[in-house]
Amino acid sequence: MAQVEFIQVGKSYGETGAVHNVNLTVDDSEFLVLLGPSGCGKSTLLKMVAGLEDVTAGEIRIDGRVVNYVKPGDRNVAMVFQNYALYPHMTVQENIGFPLKMTKVPKDQIRERVTRTAAILGLDGLLDRRPEQLSGGQRQRVALARSIIREPAVFLMDEPLSNLDAQLRVQTREELLKLHERLQTTTIYVTHDQIEAMTMGHRIVVMRSGVVQQVGRPQDVYDNPANTFVAAFLGSPRINLQTGKLDGATFGGDGFVVPLNSKLAGAASAVTAGSDVALGVRPEDIEVRVGAVEASGDKIALDGVVSLVEPVGSDLYVRAQTGNVDWMARTEARLPVEPGQAVTLVLNLEHAHLFGEDGRNLAS
Amino acid sequence: MTDKRLSPFDRAKLRREAVIDYSRHSINRREFMFKMTAAGVGVAAATRIGDAIAAPAPAMGVKRWAKQADATIRFVKGVHAANDAEIWDGMKAEFEAAHPGITLQPEFYDWATMPEQLTAGYASDDPWDVVYNTDQVLARWVSEGLIADITALANDAAWAGEREAIAPFTWDVVNIGGAEFGVGVLGAVFNIWYNLDLFEAAGISEFPTTRADFREAAIALTGDGVYGFELRDSAANSAFWDWFPWIHNDHADILSDDLSTQNVSPNGAAGTQFLGDLQSVDKVTPEVGAYDWDGAAALFAAGRIAILHDESWRTTAWDAGDGLPFEYDVAMAPFGEDGTKQTAMGNFGYATISEGSENKEAAWEFVKWFASADVINPYAATIGLQTVRVDSVPEYNNQHLEKIQAELVPMVQPPQIHVNWAEMVRTMWPEVEKAYRGEQSGEEAMANAAEIINGLV
Amino acid sequence: MVETHFPELDATVPPPPRRGILSTASLYKLAIYIILIVAAFIAMVPFGYVVSTSLKSTMSLFAYPPDWLPDEPTLDNYRNLIDRYPFWRWLMNSAIVAGSVTLIKLVVDSMAGYAFAKMRFPGKEPLFLLVLISLMVPFAALLIPTFIIVRELGLLNTYWGLILPGLASPIGIFMMRQFIESLPSDLENAARLDGCSEFQIYRRVILPLIKPGLVVLGVFTFMTQWTSYLWPLVAATKPQMATLTVGARSLTSDFTQDWGLNSAAAVLSMLPMILVFIFLQRYFIAGSIAGALKE
Amino acid sequence: MSDITLTSTEIGAAGQLSLSPEEHKREQRRYLLRRTATAYLFLVPAAVFFIAFLVIPIGFLFFYTFHNGGIISPRVYVGLDNWRNVFRDDLVITSIKNTLVYCLMAIPSVFVISMFLALVLQQATRGGSVFRSVFYLPTLTPYVVAALIWQFVVHRDFGILNMTLVKLGRDPVNWIGDPDMALKSITMLEVWRGVGFWTLLFLAALIGLPKELYQAAAIDGANAWQRFRHLTIPLLRPTIFFAVVMATIWNLQLFDSVSIMTNGGPQNSTATVVWYIQQTTFAYTDKVGFGAALSFTLLMLILVLALIEIRLLRKR
């Protein structure tokens, strides 16, 4: 168990995967998720912790020790790779026991610990198989077993669930969380899947182009995105981002006007009137009503015409046009609307955001 | 600027690795390391090369490795018979019985790769003590200082009788620059075989001795699946051996008598033209290049060639078992144009002592033994080769070999002894081959050959 | 590994066109096998002739017209070869030389290949370029300098003298680098995190995984050594060091053209190679796929 | 919109580096040094042989190009004479021409045949491994044996080829005795010997191709030739690239079969560069320097041709 600190960490390649000036502390026992689109540098950062990539600026400390120049095997970290990286020529048993063998643990101890670890992950019956004889989920668990058997100070996971099918992914997610609960090992988890990030991370770190955009508890980040990138990256369907101008207490979009509530007006005071801003409203904060509705409090009513209806079972995604822009709303599943129908969109501005020209959330 | 001295690869590498905070200083270090390694390797290499170059070239004298027992003589010769190794097992025993204290180790080279094997052997730390060298290459090795001067030993009064028993022409061959470098022992004669049955059927009773008669006979003998004549035609099959008598008989040779210039042009033209006409005009032979050496011999043995220019030792195989189903005899190429000269080509081998041998005296004992009548005659009889002794002849159980020894060996005109002889023959051969194919006249062939030879003198 | 299989495609693939129902398909198969058999025949016929010749008595070899099959097959040529020549010695020498070169090369080249494929170090590109360029040097040209070096090392007429120059061939390094480069880097990264030193990674992860590649290189090297002629000819001037090719060639001399004996030697000298290949050919295919040939 | 760097303020501001920049530099250097040293350790065993038996000999050879005299006779410095002679010698021109003509005949033939056989072999559901072994047989043949075997093929009377021709009522051909045929016959031998190797190589590459693409192409209605032309060939580019470059390198070094079958004849029609190098260094031992210069000429030739091929095949 350990604390991992990134101090002014940088890595330049000239290509993708570069990392700039990362400052971050991962607390002991924390489950931290690095989230971002591919090529944002999250995997590079992870590999830098592992020692698989060189740190070209700053330092990484594990439990106060600078590990920049420590061999991967001596950092007391374990990693689960996206493709599991199981040794194809070894049995499950040998795969799991390999790290111990390399650290010269006596044979009988290895056997005992392998058995124990395998039991934790439900791999008892599979010990003599080879990786190619296992299903994706089983392989994933073997990879996990191989990393936990060393009882490392830090777990590093590089998109460990991305090769599993949807159902298994959900199940394994839970298992991983349980495992973390039990072992309380500091974990850095890399993913591009926001659901994973939201559900698993104690905190998430959103990255883009090698730069950390925001760090915080998942809900905080979701509710208070630091910039348009974070706002857009989290949440599905995507947040509605409409550009427009601030005009006193109103936001003037392309063909529509939204009066600001007090929260947004407060935020808007940070910039001069008339400047370009973006209004962000999440689809779940938009209600679709048939017939006219009065605006009240945080709620603003806009007239719209439905252009697309997407039922996803639990919800209904409705795209409707107001003025010259589209809004995406997420409403109750069985709302009787169809394309072409005139509706009223009720925007709940309680959780809406205004972003400045530079993309920053004006509220922060 | 340090950057300048880095290779483009290194610079690219640095860029890619993007060791951004790398100061010049550390680049210097890295480069230094790199250069030191390179320098170390370079020095090591240079030392080795230096050693090798500084070492006395033919690595003679000092032996640094497992010194052989003082009296072991390593002798190498070309393979003369399929069972040569077995024969030499017996001869080894005889030699050792007669020379207590000297061990004989007979070894063999393969004629096809003789240059490689002998070059390697001479260049090694441990050359053979005695090498059977043919007259073609003797001069080359002598010029490179590989062969011991045995003038004193060969002119030792105690050996004078034996010396006189060995044909004088061989002493001319081994005399290079006034010193003697070997003792003649064995040889093959390149002669003509002819099928008596076919001759009889064609109504020819005597083997022709003039070119006109020869041509007439060859034409008469050709037909019905039988070729009147065949001789070797490619350099790969040493075709020049069969060609030489035809130009020798016209008083031509590769070089002038004093070896200072070529002597094929125009003297060699007539014989070459004659052979070319037989093949490309009269077509009494198989197409040029159709048969290799053994193929032609086999064809003769099958009764499909009437006159075959080939080597003397063939008869051993032909007379083995039931023999050939026809009678055959041996002859020489006809006289030259002026009708004054008739020769056979012969290729003889000489026992030479290596300059690098540490046991020259023991080696000399072996050479004397090998050249002695009691040894060389039975051996020559066994393998079907000719000897160069004038006091006695091998007891062949083959009448052809007897005839060759008695009648042809004295008529032999050997190759000229010149450092570049082999190269001259090899390089000019394509010109003769062209004449054989009728692509150029004998005269043109000889003019071109003359140029090549002069370039190598 | 990325799955490139799209099951939905399978469902939509129409069954292979069978215009004439079964007959077209089976005609197609028939044509395939006819081509294969003809090609196999062309590949085999000369061998057949050699084997047949090796069973003929020497005298009947050059009969006109020639016999395709021996009238009275005899093993005399084989007997002669083994009785009269140090055939087993030649075989042993060849096996020692080819075997040693192969084993040493597999280790040495796979190590270098690993460094070139997976390690980062200054000078990697120029060094590898040097390896590539040296592929283009004809060995015949290096015979003399190599000979001098071996002589200076005092290794003429020793097994080492025969073995060492064979180890320099750069093709193995090149092939091994290609193989190892095709392995996913995550495997060695995992091993690195599991506490392996670079040598342990090489020994415990890389080597077992490139087995097919090792087989390819092994067969290739063994074959090259087994068939090599020029170097053993000059490096070993003593008959007891002759290898099979040198020995077999020495049977064909200007004065001794024993085709039967030659053919027997040819047959016997090829047997080991053929056996090795038959046993390993499955790996050979697998190994070639594994990436020796990706650029 | 610009990127925004946020530090996680709630867990404290950016920490201080615990090592000074100098210490970092030193540690980093030591770290990289160790890694480099490890890599070089892996290269050392190969490098020892490589240097001893390849680099030094090449250096030697270069040294020889400026000298006359042999391995056994004393060397004499002759400056650039050997180089000059190489470019003046007619046989050098002939041998380069022969070598190139040979390559132009051999490489395309062996590739076309091998590719065809590989495609056919891929279709063979049964007995594939038997055929693979049989096809590989010629490749396993030592040259010494291959030449012997070929005596039985090209022999004037009882060679398989001529016997077949005669059976078909045609005139027998003078396979290796005719200057116009000899190089072709050598090519035939080399193609026969090489087909197995390349067939297996192409087969291996074919087996490795993704099947989905072919299924997709079949759906799109591409016929067999179109699939071969537009799918197989592009997909096999890396293999073909490797094959062409390697085949060029190897075939430009043609020697063994020439040395054994024709020894350069008839009329130098099969004289190849390496054969000539061999002749000058061994048969005429005072010409080692000439042979060395010729070796470098060949090296340059191979290098240039390989580079041209790399250019042509890489880009497109």
Side-chain angles (χ1 to χ4, degrees):
Chain A
M1 274 164 240
Q3 193 184 47
V4 181
E5 294 160 277
F6 297 82
I7 294 128
Q8 299 164 27
V9 170
K11 162 115 198 150
S12 43
Y13 274 108
E15 298 158 33
T16 55
V19 168
H20 307 290
N21 195 28
V22 172
N23 289 286
L24 191 66
T25 300
V26 186
D27 291 330
D28 191 9
S29 305
E30 186 177 4
F31 196 112
L32 183 91
V33 176
L34 298 178
L35 177 69
S38 61
C40 73
K42 56 189 192 302
S43 284
T44 308
L45 199 58
L46 194 74
K47 284 186 176 159
M48 283 158 86
V49 180
L52 302 174
E53 292 276 5
D54 292 340
V55 178
T56 54
E59 61 192 36
I60 295 175
R61 294 200 290 249
I62 297 177
D63 258 351
R65 176 170 74 135
V66 178
V67 294
N68 288 28
Y69 315 115
V70 176
K71 279 196 300 180
D74 297 341
R75 295 187 182 195
N76 199 15
V77 299
M79 184 159 168
V80 178
F81 292 85
Q82 183 174 4
N83 300 314
Y84 318 136
L86 298 181
Y87 308 119
H89 56 292
M90 300 183 196
T91 61
V92 168
Q93 187 162 265
E94 288 164 338
N95 260 290
I96 299 177
F98 190 69
L100 299 183
K101 195 170 160 192
M102 288 299 102
T103 40
K104 304 249 158 40
V105 175
K107 268 197 182 135
D108 46 337
Q109 256 191 59
I110 296 182
R111 202 170 313 122
E112 190 219 304
R113 279 168 72 178
V114 168
T115 320
R116 202 164 23 145
T117 314
I120 295 174
L121 288 157
L123 292 165
D124 316 87
L126 307 172
L127 287 178
D128 291 324
R129 298 222 188 145
R130 282 182 188 272
E132 80 243 21
Q133 298 165 306
L134 301 178
S135 71
Q138 288 166 336
R139 287 181 204 186
Q140 209 275 338
R141 288 211 294 275
V142 175
L144 213 53
R146 185 177 66 187
S147 59
I148 66 174
I149 195 164
R150 291 176 58 190
E151 295 164 6
V154 183
F155 265 153
L156 306 170
M157 302 198 186
D158 190 2
E159 312 219 9
L161 306 183
S162 62
N163 283 350
L164 301 179
D165 61 43
Q167 217 177 346
L168 202 54
R169 206 178 296 180
V170 175
Q171 189 192 328
T172 314
R173 219 156 66 194
E174 284 165 20
E175 281 172 16
L176 273 180
L177 284 177
K178 268 188 221 148
L179 198 67
H180 181 256
E181 204 126 292
R182 177 175 169 165
L183 300 172
Q184 289 293 316
T185 309
T186 312
T187 303
I188 306 180
Y189 185 105
V190 162
T191 184
H192 64 270
D193 183 321
Q194 48 168 309
I195 312 264
E196 270 174 35
M198 298 295 288
T199 53
M200 298 177 83
H202 292 167
R203 283 189 302 156
I204 60 178
V205 177
V206 185
M207 290 185 71
R208 180 196 185 203
S209 306
V211 177
V212 172
Q213 307 286 310
Q214 192 170 8
V215 181
R217 285 186 293 115
Q219 197 62 46
D220 287 347
V221 175
Y222 186 82
D223 287 343
N224 298 301
N227 54 32
T228 48
F229 173 77
V230 177
F233 192 75
L234 288 179
S236 174
R238 231 174 80 114
I239 191 169
N240 293 289
L241 277 174
Q242 312 291 8
T243 51
K245 281 193 190 318
L246 275 181
D247 183 15
T250 58
F251 169 85
D254 191 358
F256 68 99
V257 173
V258 175
L260 302 179
N261 66 356
S262 56
K263 179 192 157 202
L264 291 181
S269 63
V271 293
T272 53
S275 52
D276 289 327
V277 291
L279 174 69
V281 185
R282 294 209 180 268
E284 62 267 31
D285 293 329
I286 300 177
E287 250 181 285
V288 177
R289 295 272 183 82
V290 183
V293 177
E294 277 297 302
S296 66
D298 289 335
K299 299 194 172 166
I300 306 297
L302 294 172
D303 292 335
V305 177
V306 175
S307 57
L308 183 75
V309 178
E310 288 181 314
V312 294
S314 59
D315 296 307
L316 187 70
Y317 299 162
V318 178
R319 196 153 77 204
Q321 206 172 28
T322 310
N324 297 322
V325 300
D326 279 343
W327 296 92
M328 180 62 95
R330 175 162 151 186
T331 66
E332 57 173 288
R334 292 168 190 87
L335 191 77
V337 289
E338 49 193 51
Q341 195 177 343
V343 291
T344 306
L345 301 176
V346 181
L347 276 53
N348 183 352
L349 295 187
E350 193 188 338
H351 301 294
H353 310 281
L354 274 181
F355 300 96
E357 231 175 332
D358 57 1
R360 284 181 88 118
N361 192 334
L362 294 179
S364 60
Chain B
M1 287 291 285
T2 23
D3 261 302
K4 288 250 169 64
R5 270 183 269 145
L6 288 171
S7 76
F9 298 96
D10 263 338
R11 261 177 273 145
K13 186 70 197 158
L14 278 179
R15 265 202 305 280
R16 206 155 340 118
E17 275 190 359
V19 191
I20 42 169
D21 283 327
Y22 247 45
S23 68
R24 295 259 174 255
H25 175 69
S26 57
I27 289 173
N28 258 336
R29 271 284 191 97
R30 193 145 85 148
E31 194 189 13
F32 174 69
M33 244 180 54
F34 199 80
K35 283 198 170 154
M36 279 316 285
T37 320
V41 170
V43 168
T47 329
R48 269 264 154 251
I49 293 174
D51 280 355
I53 292 163
M60 290 165 191
V62 199
K63 273 192 197 165
R64 285 165 300 168
W65 305 91
K67 212 172 147 125
Q68 300 233 336
D70 274 349
T72 293
I73 296 301
R74 289 177 63 225
F75 167 55
V76 72
K77 66 186 283 292
V79 183
H80 280 116
N83 57 346
D84 218 0
E86 277 168 53
I87 298 171
W88 274 90
D89 283 345
M91 291 176 70
K92 170 186 159 77
E94 280 171 37
F95 174 78
E96 286 172 359
H99 298 82
I102 307 180
T103 310
L104 177 66
Q105 194 179 319
E107 294 169 22
F108 301 90
Y109 56 75
D110 173 10
W111 292 104
T113 50
M114 176 184 79
E116 287 90 339
Q117 280 179 284
L118 288 188
T119 306
Y122 276 128
S124 76
D125 284 342
D126 188 15
W128 292 283
D129 298 286
V130 180
V131 178
Y132 178 90
N133 268 310
T134 63
D135 37 23
Q136 310 163 60
V137 293
L138 186 65
R140 152 129 350 268
W141 304 136
V142 169
S143 80
E144 289 180 351
L146 299 170
I147 296 182
D149 176 354
I150 54 164
T151 318
L153 297 169
N155 289 292
D156 185 9
W159 197 60
E162 279 287 283
R163 182 186 169 93
E164 273 160 31
I166 295 171
F169 84 87
T170 65
W171 295 108
D172 294 341
V173 168
V174 298
N175 191 316
I176 297 170
E180 290 175 349
F181 291 92
V183 177
V185 274
L186 284 172
V189 170
F190 309 103
N191 55 274
I192 280 176
W193 300 106
Y194 63 103
N195 183 325
L196 283 169
D197 290 15
L198 289 174
F199 266 64
E200 200 174 314
I204 306 166
S205 51
E206 290 270 308
F207 190 83
T209 54
T210 69
R211 284 188 185 162
D213 291 350
F214 186 91
R215 181 175 182 186
E216 205 174 294
I219 292 171
L221 288 158
T222 303
D224 197 21
V226 172
Y227 299 104
F229 176 52
E230 171 67 322
L231 79 174
R232 284 178 274 178
D233 43 36
S234 75
N237 289 317
S238 311
F240 36 84
W241 294 133
D242 294 349
W243 169 73
F244 269 119
W246 301 84
I247 66 154
H248 279 165
N249 292 354
D250 282 334
H251 309 280
D253 205 337
I254 290 285
L255 296 167
S256 58
D257 287 344
D258 62 355
L259 307 184
S260 65
T261 181
Q262 57 80 25
N263 184 34
V264 290
S265 180
N267 312 35
T272 308
Q273 183 70 46
F274 179 74
L275 291 175
D277 285 347
L278 283 178
Q279 297 178 78
S280 61
V281 178
D282 303 327
K283 297 196 188 300
V284 298
T285 62
E287 265 171 275
V288 175
Y291 293 94
D292 67 357
W293 186 3
D294 285 290
L299 213 55
F300 177 79
R304 287 184 48 199
I305 289 176
I307 307 170
L308 178 72
H309 208 144
D310 202 338
E311 302 195 1
S312 50
W313 50 268
R314 287 278 183 206
T315 180
T316 313
W318 287 338
D319 285 0
D322 296 338
L324 296 182
F326 54 84
E327 295 292 311
Y328 67 99
D329 205 351
V330 58
M332 283 192 287
F335 281 96
E337 296 288 290
D338 64 0
T340 62
K341 194 173 175 192
Q342 191 180 28
T343 60
M345 188 70 190
N347 167 220
F348 290 90
Y350 298 82
T352 63
I353 296 175
S354 299
E355 186 63 44
S357 166
E358 284 192 333
N359 300 305
K360 293 202 182 70
E361 278 174 29
W364 175 242
E365 288 305 312
F366 169 72
V367 171
K368 284 193 292 187
W369 176 82
F370 185 34
S372 67
D374 291 347
V375 175
I376 202 68
N377 284 340
Y379 179 60
T382 312
I383 61 175
L385 283 187
Q386 271 59 53
T387 61
V388 293
R389 290 189 72 95
V390 289
D391 63 332
S392 58
V393 291
E395 285 175 36
Y396 297 108
N397 50 9
N398 178 310
Q399 49 169 15
H400 304 297
L401 288 172
E402 264 168 34
K403 185 172 174 187
I404 293 169
Q405 186 71 40
E407 297 177 16
L408 269 64
V409 172
M411 309 293 281
V412 160
Q413 178 174 351
Q416 288 167 305
I417 301 304
H418 188 275
V419 182
N420 288 332
W421 191 87
E423 187 180 359
M424 287 172 190
V425 177
R426 193 31 273 185
T427 324
M428 59 151 280
W429 189 254
E431 300 298 336
V432 178
E433 231 180 307
K434 271 189 197 167
Y436 278 9
R437 288 194 169 82
E439 291 167 13
Q440 66 182 9
S441 69
E443 211 167 320
E444 288 163 332
M446 287 309 101
N448 294 337
E451 212 172 294
I452 293 168
I453 294 164
N454 276 332
L456 289 166
V457 175
Chain C
M1 260 152 259
V2 184
E3 288 276 343
T4 50
H5 192 73
F6 303 104
E8 66 272 17
L9 266 176
D10 284 345
T12 51
V13 173
R18 287 188 186 177
R19 259 158 270 139
I21 322 219
L22 260 173
S23 63
T24 324
S26 50
L27 266 180
Y28 178 68
K29 274 264 134 57
L30 190 68
I32 294 279
Y33 280 97
I34 287 176
I35 292 169
L36 287 178
I37 287 166
V38 168
F41 183 75
I42 293 172
M44 288 280 289
V45 153
F47 288 99
Y49 213 14
V50 171
V51 172
S52 150
T53 305
S54 73
L55 298 172
K56 288 178 191 168
S57 65
T58 312
M59 280 318 284
S60 68
L61 260 182
F62 276 75
Y64 281 83
D67 309 313
W68 285 95
L69 292 173
D71 290 336
E72 298 163 32
T74 165
L75 286 175
D76 279 356
N77 289 318
Y78 291 91
R79 221 167 284 134
N80 275 344
L81 181 66
I82 288 164
D83 290 349
R84 292 199 347 224
Y85 297 90
F87 183 80
W88 299 119
R89 175 86 201 192
W90 296 340
L91 191 76
M92 188 185 83
N93 289 343
S94 274
I96 289 175
V97 172
S100 313
V101 172
T102 306
L103 287 181
I104 299 173
K105 245 182 117 47
L106 286 182
V107 174
V108 163
D109 287 356
S110 58
M111 280 176 74
Y114 175 54
F116 278 124
K118 298 288 190 185
M119 291 184 175
R120 285 170 296 171
F121 57 92
K124 178 163 139 178
E125 276 80 7
L127 285 178
F128 192 66
L129 193 74
L130 191 68
V131 170
L132 288 184
I133 289 179
S134 58
L135 266 178
M136 303 176 187
V137 183
F139 179 71
L142 296 182
L143 200 57
I144 298 261
T146 308
F147 179 81
I148 292 173
I149 288 166
V150 170
R151 181 185 77 190
E152 290 307 303
L153 295 173
L155 294 176
L156 289 179
N157 287 308
T158 63
Y159 284 119
W160 283 117
L162 293 173
I163 291 168
L164 290 178
L167 298 172
S169 138
I171 182 87
I173 299 178
F174 178 71
M175 276 168 75
M176 283 296 112
R177 173 196 177 252
Q178 300 302 95
F179 274 114
I180 295 170
E181 209 167 41
S182 70
L183 295 177
S185 287
D186 279 352
L187 278 179
E188 8 135 8
N189 284 340
R192 234 160 244 157
L193 282 161
D194 285 344
C196 287
S197 67
E198 289 297 319
F199 186 77
Q200 283 171 320
I201 297 177
Y202 161 75
R203 169 70 193 77
R204 296 186 182 274
V205 178
I206 302 290
L207 270 194
L209 289 179
I210 55 164
K211 259 187 209 149
L214 293 174
V215 170
V216 172
L217 180 59
V219 169
F220 191 83
T221 309
F222 193 81
M223 188 181 90
T224 316
Q225 289 301 316
W226 190 263
T227 59
S228 102
Y229 174 63
L230 212 49
W231 178 248
L233 183 78
V234 300
T237 49
K238 295 186 179 170
Q240 67 266 31
M241 294 304 295
T243 59
L244 206 48
T245 40
V246 174
R249 175 81 171 138
S250 73
L251 299 175
T252 323
S253 195
D254 288 358
F255 291 87
T256 57
Q257 286 277 9
D258 192 334
W259 292 100
L261 199 64
N262 267 303
S263 303
V267 171
L268 287 186
S269 68
M270 285 191 62
L271 268 184
M273 270 317 306
I274 293 172
L275 290 180
V276 164
F277 184 74
I278 286 175
F279 282 123
L280 296 179
Q281 61 118 342
R282 260 179 12 140
Y283 293 95
F284 200 79
I285 291 272
S288 308
I289 298 171
L293 318 161
K294 297 182 170 175
E295 313 245 315
Chain D
M1 80 197 72
S2 66
D3 296 332
I4 304 156
T5 310
L6 293 176
T7 54
S8 49
T9 44
E10 64 224 272
I11 48 168
Q16 294 295 309
L17 292 176
S18 48
L19 299 178
S20 69
E22 287 73 31
E23 282 173 317
H24 264 291
K25 222 170 278 168
R26 203 182 53 226
E27 289 288 318
Q28 185 176 36
R29 214 154 48 217
R30 193 179 296 165
Y31 183 64
L32 291 177
L33 193 66
R34 201 166 46 210
R35 196 164 67 194
T36 306
T38 315
Y40 276 95
L41 271 181
F42 271 80
L43 290 178
V44 159
V48 167
F49 302 124
F50 192 74
I51 290 169
F53 296 106
L54 213 58
V55 176
I56 294 180
I58 291 172
F60 245 129
L61 199 64
F62 193 66
F63 172 81
Y64 269 126
T65 62
F66 304 107
H67 292 76
N68 251 356
I71 12 170
I72 33 193
S73 59
R75 286 167 206 84
V76 190
Y77 177 77
V78 296
L80 289 172
D81 279 5
N82 288 320
W83 287 98
R84 265 195 294 272
N85 289 340
V86 162
F87 292 101
R88 277 191 203 137
D89 192 306
D90 287 342
L91 193 49
V92 169
I93 311 289
T94 310
S95 63
I96 290 179
K97 199 196 85 201
N98 287 342
T99 310
L100 291 177
V101 168
Y102 159 77
C103 282
L104 284 177
M105 291 193 291
I107 299 174
S109 343
V110 85
F111 280 0
V112 168
I113 298 173
S114 304
M115 183 59 86
F116 177 72
L117 280 182
L119 287 166
V120 172
L121 208 48
Q122 197 191 11
Q123 308 289 315
T125 37
R126 281 195 198 162
S129 66
V130 176
F131 284 114
R132 289 202 293 256
S133 298
V134 169
F135 291 166
Y136 208 73
L137 211 56
T139 306
L140 297 175
T141 326
Y143 269 106
V144 178
V145 177
L148 169 73
I149 289 174
W150 269 68
Q151 294 283 348
F152 295 114
V153 176
V154 299
H155 191 276
R156 166 66 176 225
D157 289 330
F158 55 86
I160 293 158
L161 288 173
N162 276 349
M163 284 178 57
T164 315
L165 284 178
V166 170
K167 279 253 163 63
L168 297 173
R170 308 282 290 273
D171 287 337
V173 171
N174 197 351
W175 294 103
I176 51 176
D178 183 342
D180 294 334
M181 279 309 296
L183 195 60
K184 291 176 196 148
S185 301
I186 294 282
T187 308
M188 212 155 57
L189 163 64
E190 290 291 336
V191 168
W192 173 78
R193 201 169 175 273
V195 157
F197 178 81
W198 297 113
T199 301
L200 252 67
L201 193 136
F202 290 141
L203 178 67
L206 284 175
I207 293 173
L209 296 181
K211 295 192 175 46
E212 296 78 20
L213 283 172
Y214 285 87
Q215 291 164 345
I219 296 168
D220 293 342
N223 64 29
W225 169 250
Q226 287 169 324
R227 287 201 297 268
F228 175 74
R229 172 71 193 77
H230 297 290
L231 269 180
T232 310
I233 294 286
L235 286 172
L236 287 186
R237 266 266 300 280
T239 310
I240 292 173
F241 172 79
F242 169 86
V244 168
V245 175
M246 290 316 286
T248 308
I249 292 174
W250 285 334
N251 280 299
L252 284 171
Q253 300 180 20
L254 176 69
F255 166 66
D256 301 70
S257 52
V258 164
S259 148
I260 292 168
M261 298 285 291
T262 60
N263 202 16
Q267 284 170 225
N268 291 331
S269 63
T270 59
T272 64
V273 181
V274 177
W275 172 84
Y276 195 30
I277 292 171
Q278 161 80 2
Q279 284 287 312
T280 49
T281 39
F282 282 103
Y284 327 128
T285 47
D286 59 337
K287 280 195 155 186
V288 175
F290 179 86
L294 187 53
S295 305
F296 273 93
T297 312
L298 176 65
L299 182 61
M300 292 304 138
L301 184 72
I302 297 178
L303 204 58
V304 167
L305 284 182
L307 286 178
I308 290 174
E309 284 171 354
I310 290 171
R311 262 282 153 79
L312 288 179
L313 289 167
R314 267 262 166 87
K315 290 185 179 170
R316 211 176 41 176

